[in-house]
Amino acid sequence: MTSAYPGDRNAPGLSADQRARPGQPLTEREVQALSDIANGAHVFETARAMGMSQRTVRRDLRAAEAKLGARTLTHAAALAAARGLITVEPPVVIA
């Protein structure tokens, strides 16, 4: 049975990195993209800094979510930080 949900990573025709499974190690690119986003960068800023398209960054973020077993990008960032994969800088508070 195939899912009608557009984010289904098990759908036919998806590349291997889009069918990432929980427990697989994150690639360097996935860690970098997740770290940038977790620290407040926008996808377009991350894409520009990494020299790739926004679509590629989003694909890497989705793969990181799947590999971490996360439900959302925020959940993925929290899991990655808890596992020591990324460092999240504390926000700057201006009083």
Side-chain angles (χ1 to χ4, degrees):
M1 178 174 163
T2 58
S3 173
Y5 181 69
D8 187 352
R9 289 174 182 84
N10 296 316
L14 295 179
S15 64
D17 56 349
Q18 289 173 308
R19 291 188 305 263
R21 299 283 184 243
Q24 291 178 325
L26 272 60
T27 65
E28 244 181 79
R29 251 179 29 188
E30 291 163 351
V31 170
Q32 183 61 51
L34 190 56
S35 178
D36 286 356
I37 299 301
N39 283 292
H42 292 278
V43 171
F44 72 88
E45 293 170 321
T46 299
R48 185 180 315 137
M50 294 175 74
M52 59 185 66
S53 72
Q54 292 180 46
R55 184 177 183 170
T56 301
V57 171
R58 286 188 186 99
R59 185 189 67 215
D60 288 345
L61 291 169
R62 284 191 310 269
E65 281 180 40
K67 290 177 180 181
L68 291 167
R71 295 179 302 272
T72 65
L73 184 55
T74 302
H75 188 211
L79 289 172
R83 295 175 187 175
L85 299 173
I86 64 171
T87 302
V88 180
E89 299 298 323
V92 176
V93 178
I94 300 173

